């Protein structure tokens, strides 16, 4: 039987230096594999890998390289061959990806993967592993594009593209859109960025991978601003020191969205600055997503918050007007005045409006001189008349009736049928391309696309302008119905008919308190952006038309015949650089800095171990 417990002597506390393993993995002991891919396009789901290049580095030294062409199992598009220099003939005898991947995974085993625009390269590798039946290892990864954004200022580099960073860091290899060359250039960029980590106290892999997820302590302290925000759809407003709106946003889950502004998920510089100024968050619950989006637009247009970029100035939209006079001409205006001519638009900026005007002048001999002409003008012809691009009504060579038949082509295009206006232009695009004048063809093609889109937009807006009242219903996902009452394109009432209640009775009660829009019949009672929101909600699968007062009809034939043309234009634009990093990776005004007096991560770990 043990004896009585005796007091133990108090020993002096010993302080031990923690091992380097307790503080993280030093960067000098990490093996990195810098990888770059060339592919047949920009989608990991529909395109395939054509080349893999990788460089293994450790402690600043290259310890291995991996490079191979890959047979994608399909033809390589010509524009990809022009961009990368890899042709279908070059990869004809190359191995397929299912035989290449095991060798690459063995080469990269136990390392940290590095890529410039890592989501692109790692996304293709993951998709290839899934298609080949291989498990994707749990690699740690570093994105040099994101790292550069954290460490460089806009005074040093204008952007974080590899082609910009490589010369800045004096890379020994120039990026060429070939896998191994780009991987070698990324190695030099990575080492250049590592030299910037010293002032930040970042010396371990754990600190490096956490660098892009750091949250400003001042932003973290403001998490209480979102404590009262409810779940559900609605609008949130960040308000500043004078209770002025700083930023207006919308979400289907207000609470989750507002709380994200105080976490590492929000990395936009403007939003970090905005949260730093915010004093409170106002939540405006809404019946459904359409009401939330409309209220957001109205609040932005009314208050013009400084941190909102979109929809702040709806009054600045531009229209192309065919004037109402004996010999009408085209002009760019800011207001639509009923009965003052034919209006096409709106256009987001002057460049787009001018492109549409140029396209019309290419198709029709509408006069380009300014000022009104008398019914029987007597003047001198300009150079455009000598070139056959104007009928010279200013000299009396073209009667009012003859000129009106030309102007009618434009009016008919805006109202219903753009074929007579646009078909000659598309024929000219084909002719220019056949003559080898590709740049001229591309310019005219883009002008025609702007014109067709403007006609389509105008006709879609007219679809709702003449509808006195429209009642819509959509399933809300819980057995009920989301309801909306629209008058002349304006949302005037919104609500939800819960499961088991009468939709028509609920609509009737909504209409009693609905807003009555002002303005003449047949004209839009809302901004263009609001009407387009209603149109998109109307066109969603599952939306039901409950009641319609007026005529809801699209013009015939409309712009449907040009849908394939617009799709080809969009596809051509996307093909110009299918590998472009679409993320916002602009540099910051100031690089990251460690606050004075605040210990770094490794120092904090060492202090915590001394107990």
């Amino acid at each position: 039987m043990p004896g009585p417990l005796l007091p133990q002597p108090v020993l002096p506390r010993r302080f031990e230096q923690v091992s380097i393993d307790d503080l993280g993995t030093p960067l000098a002991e990490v093996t990195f594999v810098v990888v770059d891919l060339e592919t047949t396009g920009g989608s990991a789901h529909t395109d395939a890998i054509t080349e893999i290049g990788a460089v293994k580095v450790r402690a600043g030294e290259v310890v291995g390289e991996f490079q191979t062409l890959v047979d994608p199992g399909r033809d390589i598009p010509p524009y990809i061959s022009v961009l990368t220099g890899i042709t279908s003939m070059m990869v004809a005898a190359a191995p397929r990806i299912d035989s290449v991947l095991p060798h690459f995974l063995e080469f990269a085993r136990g390392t940290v993967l590095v890529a410039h625009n890592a989501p692109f390269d790692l996304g293709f590798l993951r998709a290839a592993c899934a298609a080949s039946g291989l498990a994707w290892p749990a690699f740690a990864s570093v994105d040099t594009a994101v790292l550069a954004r954290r460490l460089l200022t806009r005074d040093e580099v204008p952007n974080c593209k590899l082609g910009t960073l490589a010369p800045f860091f004096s890379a020994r290899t120039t990026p060429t859109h070939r896998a191994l060359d780009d991987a070698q250039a990324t190695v030099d960029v990575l080492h250049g960025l590592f030299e910037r980590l010293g002032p930040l106290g970042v010396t371990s892999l754990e600190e490096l991978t956490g660098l892009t997820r750091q949250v400003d302590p001042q932003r973290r302290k403001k998490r209480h601003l979102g404590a009262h925000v409810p779940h559900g759809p609605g609008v949130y407003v960040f308000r500043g020191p004078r209770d002025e709106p700083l930023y207006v946003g919308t979400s289907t889950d207000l609470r989750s969205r507002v709380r994200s502004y105080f976490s590492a998920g929000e990395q936009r510089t403007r939003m970090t600055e905005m949260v730093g100024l915010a004093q409170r968050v106002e939540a405006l619950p809404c019946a459904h997503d359409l009401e939330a989006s409309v209220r957001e637009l109205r609040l932005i247009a009314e208050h013009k918050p400084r941190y909102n970029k979109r929809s702040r100035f709806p009054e600045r939209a531009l229209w192309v007007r065919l004037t109402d006079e004996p010999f009408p001409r085209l002009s760019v205006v800011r207001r639509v005045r009923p009965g003052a001519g034919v209006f096409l638009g709106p256009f987001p900026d002057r460049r787009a409006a001018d492109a549409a005007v140029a396209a019309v002048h290419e198709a029709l001999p509408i006069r380009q001189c300014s000022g009104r002409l008398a019914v029987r003008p007597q003047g001198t012809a300009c150079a455009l008349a000598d070139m056959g691009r104007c009928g010279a009504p200013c000299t009396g060579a073209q009667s009012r009736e003859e000129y009106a038949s030309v102007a009618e082509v434009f009016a008919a295009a805006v109202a219903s049928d753009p074929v007579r206006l646009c078909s000659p232009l598309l024929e000219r695009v084909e002719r220019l391309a056949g003559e080898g004048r590709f740049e001229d063809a591309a310019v005219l093609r883009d002008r025609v696309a702007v014109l067709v889109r403007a006609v389509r937009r105008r006709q879609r807006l007219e679809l709702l302008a003449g509808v006195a009242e429209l009642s819509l219903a959509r399933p809300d996902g819980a057995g009920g119905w989301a309801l909306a009452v629209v008058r002349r394109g304006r949302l005037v009432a919104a609500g939800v008919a819960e499961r088991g209640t009468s939709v028509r009775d609920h609509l009737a009660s909504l209409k009693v308190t609905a807003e009555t829009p002002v303005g003449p019949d047949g004209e839009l009672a809302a901004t263009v952006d609001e009407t387009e929101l209603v149109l998109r909600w109307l066109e969603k699968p599952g939306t039901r038309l409950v009641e319609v007062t007026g005529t809801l009809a699209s013009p015939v034939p409309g712009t449907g015949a040009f849908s394939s043309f617009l799709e080809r234009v969009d596809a051509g634009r996307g093909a110009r650089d299918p590998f472009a990093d679409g993320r916002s990776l602009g540099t910051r005004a100031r690089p990251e800095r460690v606050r004075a007096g605040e210990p770094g991560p490794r120092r904090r770990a060492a202090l915590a171990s001394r107990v």
Side-chain angles (χ1 to χ4, degrees):
M1 183 173 182
L5 296 177
L6 299 177
Q8 299 295 319
V10 178
L11 300 177
R13 179 175 296 178
R14 298 179 59 189
F15 293 91
E16 297 181 358
Q17 176 66 42
V18 295
S19 67
I20 195 70
D21 294 334
D22 296 330
L23 300 180
T25 308
L27 291 177
E29 299 180 8
V30 177
T31 302
F32 297 94
V33 167
V34 182
V35 62
D36 186 83
L37 307 180
E38 301 303 329
T39 65
T40 60
S43 172
H45 301 289
T46 58
D47 295 302
I49 298 171
T50 59
E51 187 179 28
I52 301 178
V55 181
K56 184 181 293 186
V57 293
R58 182 182 176 88
E61 299 294 332
V62 175
V63 297
E65 291 185 347
F66 181 97
Q67 189 276 332
T68 180
L69 291 171
V70 180
D71 180 6
R74 67 191 72 179
D75 290 336
I76 299 177
Y79 63 87
I80 297 294
S81 295
V82 171
L83 185 65
T84 66
I86 301 175
T87 64
S88 298
M89 185 67 69
M90 292 172 59
V91 299
R96 300 295 291 268
I97 189 63
D98 53 358
S99 61
V100 170
L101 276 176
H103 298 286
F104 172 77
L105 295 178
E106 178 63 26
F107 177 79
R109 186 170 54 141
T111 67
V112 175
L113 292 184
V114 180
H116 199 79
N117 187 13
F120 176 87
D121 298 282
L122 301 191
F124 266 94
L125 289 172
R126 287 193 186 95
C129 282
S132 303
L134 299 175
W136 174 254
F139 287 112
S141 63
V142 175
D143 190 337
T144 50
V146 175
L147 190 60
R149 182 175 184 261
R150 298 285 290 179
L151 300 176
L152 301 178
T153 70
R154 63 172 63 101
D155 292 332
E156 295 174 304
V157 290
N159 55 60
C160 296
K161 297 179 180 179
L162 182 60
T164 302
L165 298 178
F168 176 76
F169 286 113
S170 301
R172 292 164 293 181
T173 305
T174 301
T176 60
H177 269 303
R178 289 300 300 268
L180 188 58
D181 286 347
D182 288 6
Q184 291 171 341
T186 305
V187 169
D188 292 332
V189 170
L190 179 68
H191 289 157
L193 292 171
F194 278 179
E195 293 177 0
R196 300 294 186 100
L197 296 177
L200 301 180
V202 176
T203 58
S204 71
L205 175 63
E206 290 74 16
E207 293 166 341
L208 175 65
T209 55
L211 180 62
T212 59
R213 298 190 295 272
Q214 289 179 357
V215 183
D216 191 305
Q218 297 302 319
R219 185 171 59 173
R220 189 185 296 112
K221 290 179 181 178
K222 293 197 172 185
R223 286 180 295 182
H224 67 278
L225 297 181
H228 69 285
V229 177
H231 290 287
V235 178
Y236 56 90
V237 183
F238 281 85
R239 292 189 175 271
R242 297 183 301 276
D243 210 41
E244 75 279 15
L246 297 175
Y247 182 79
V248 179
T250 183
S251 176
T252 56
D253 189 336
L254 283 172
R255 186 175 182 84
S256 298
R257 183 67 185 101
V258 170
R259 289 170 65 91
S260 71
Y261 284 91
F262 311 107
S263 70
E266 180 55 73
Q267 292 292 338
R268 290 176 292 175
T269 304
R270 286 173 57 85
M271 294 298 100
T272 300
E273 180 181 323
M274 182 274 295
V275 172
L277 294 174
Q279 298 299 311
R280 72 182 183 96
V281 178
E282 180 182 1
L284 304 173
C286 298
H288 46 69
D289 58 336
L290 176 60
E291 183 188 11
S293 299
V294 168
R295 292 186 70 177
E296 177 196 29
L297 280 177
R298 294 177 184 176
L299 286 171
I300 292 174
E302 178 183 357
H303 298 289
K304 297 177 173 45
R306 59 184 294 191
Y307 289 98
N308 281 96
K309 291 184 177 180
R310 180 180 56 87
S311 304
R312 289 177 63 192
F313 302 100
E315 66 275 6
R316 293 183 181 178
L318 297 173
W319 301 76
V320 172
R321 172 195 175 203
L322 181 68
T323 58
D324 183 21
E325 54 183 308
F327 297 95
R329 57 190 173 85
L330 297 179
S331 63
V332 179
V333 298
R334 290 198 179 276
R335 293 182 57 191
V336 175
R337 292 183 296 155
V342 178
F343 291 85
L344 174 64
F347 296 89
D349 51 45
R350 183 74 188 216
R351 183 177 179 180
D354 288 343
V357 170
V360 175
H361 284 151
E362 290 281 352
L364 301 174
I366 293 179
R367 69 185 182 96
Q368 301 182 34
C369 52
S370 59
R372 295 179 65 91
L373 295 181
V375 178
R376 293 192 178 127
Q378 292 182 354
T380 57
C382 62
L384 290 175
D386 297 334
M387 297 167 58
R389 301 187 61 178
C390 179
C394 56
T395 66
Q398 191 174 29
S399 68
R400 182 175 179 179
E401 291 74 18
E402 292 171 337
Y403 190 89
S405 65
V406 174
E408 175 58 27
V409 175
F410 176 80
V414 174
S416 62
D417 187 4
V419 171
R420 285 195 297 163
L421 176 63
C422 298
S423 292
L425 295 174
L426 295 181
E427 292 173 1
R428 187 178 176 192
V429 170
E430 297 292 337
R431 186 169 63 254
L432 290 173
E435 295 172 357
R437 299 168 59 184
F438 299 111
E439 292 185 0
D440 293 337
V443 170
L444 183 56
R445 177 205 61 193
D446 290 344
R447 288 177 177 175
V448 177
V450 171
L451 177 61
V452 172
R453 287 194 176 94
V455 171
R456 173 171 290 183
R457 194 178 189 189
R458 180 61 175 166
Q459 292 179 359
R460 281 169 52 80
L461 294 174
E462 290 294 327
L463 178 68
L464 288 185
V467 181
E469 186 175 275
L470 183 66
S471 300
L472 305 173
R474 279 185 54 77
D476 66 352
W481 292 88
L483 307 177
V485 180
V486 179
R487 292 172 180 169
R488 298 197 345 256
R490 183 179 182 86
L491 180 68
V492 295
V496 175
E498 297 181 355
R499 182 176 183 178
T501 61
S502 171
V503 171
R504 293 191 178 275
D505 290 345
H506 202 85
L507 275 174
S509 63
L510 284 178
K511 293 178 182 180
V512 171
T513 58
E515 175 188 359
T516 300
V518 298
D521 294 340
E523 295 293 328
L524 285 177
T527 64
V528 170
D529 289 341
E530 178 176 334
T531 303
E532 290 183 330
L533 281 176
V534 173
L535 279 168
R536 287 194 291 270
W537 208 72
L538 169 64
E539 294 168 349
K540 285 183 178 180
T543 301
R544 307 287 183 87
L545 293 176
V546 183
E547 295 176 353
V548 178
T549 302
T551 302
L552 180 66
S554 299
V556 177
T559 59
F562 297 91
S563 296
S564 59
F565 163 71
L566 294 177
E567 291 173 359
R568 291 196 302 271
V569 172
D570 291 336
R573 287 175 177 168
R576 292 174 188 174
D577 191 357
F579 313 117
D581 188 350
R583 298 171 296 172
S584 176
L585 293 173
T587 48
R588 301 182 175 189
R590 294 180 300 172
E592 296 295 331
R593 292 289 184 267
V594 176
R595 286 178 172 76
E598 180 179 349
R602 294 188 63 185
R603 177 63 175 164
R604 290 196 299 269
L607 293 174
S609 66
R610 297 183 179 182
V611 295

